[in-house]
Amino acid sequence: MFAFSDTPLAQATVKAGATREDILKVAQPENRTRLARGGLCVDYTMRGKGRVSPYYVAFTTNDHVMNYGWTTCAAADARGNLSSNEALKQRF
């Protein structure tokens, strides 16, 4: 996934306090999914350095980034990764 770490979308996602507006300014998603608990999840296809990967960004009900990863919204939800409604906390 290092092939995509320097993309504007990945950079915007990991910024502390990032919101849905911040992410959508960078790129429009291919798919939007309303979450059962009221948030939103969006899917992208990341391309770079000869590689392709799915990428999702999930938002809280207050439109802050809740979670993101190198899979789809459907797969992340099935794993239980989208059950929270807490914004990401900076870990470093």
Side-chain angles (χ1 to χ4, degrees):
M1 300 308 112
F2 293 110
F4 313 110
S5 61
D6 62 349
T7 64
L9 180 58
Q11 293 294 313
T13 303
V14 299
K15 285 186 180 176
T19 65
R20 181 168 69 164
E21 182 180 350
D22 297 329
I23 302 306
L24 296 180
K25 281 181 186 176
V26 175
Q28 291 300 309
E30 297 167 9
N31 188 40
R32 297 170 191 240
T33 304
R34 284 273 163 215
L35 301 174
R37 53 147 191 75
L40 178 72
C41 189
V42 296
D43 287 305
Y44 294 94
T45 300
M46 300 288 271
R47 291 178 172 81
K49 299 180 184 173
R51 298 186 180 190
V52 177
S53 177
Y55 186 74
Y56 79 93
V57 183
F59 304 98
T60 67
T61 54
N62 292 328
D63 288 337
H64 286 88
V65 173
M66 173 186 66
N67 210 339
Y68 62 91
W70 304 103
T71 189
T72 63
C73 291
D77 195 25
R79 290 184 197 142
N81 295 350
L82 306 181
S83 60
S84 172
N85 192 36
E86 290 186 39
L88 281 177
K89 294 178 177 58
Q90 191 165 0
R91 296 180 187 150
F92 49 90

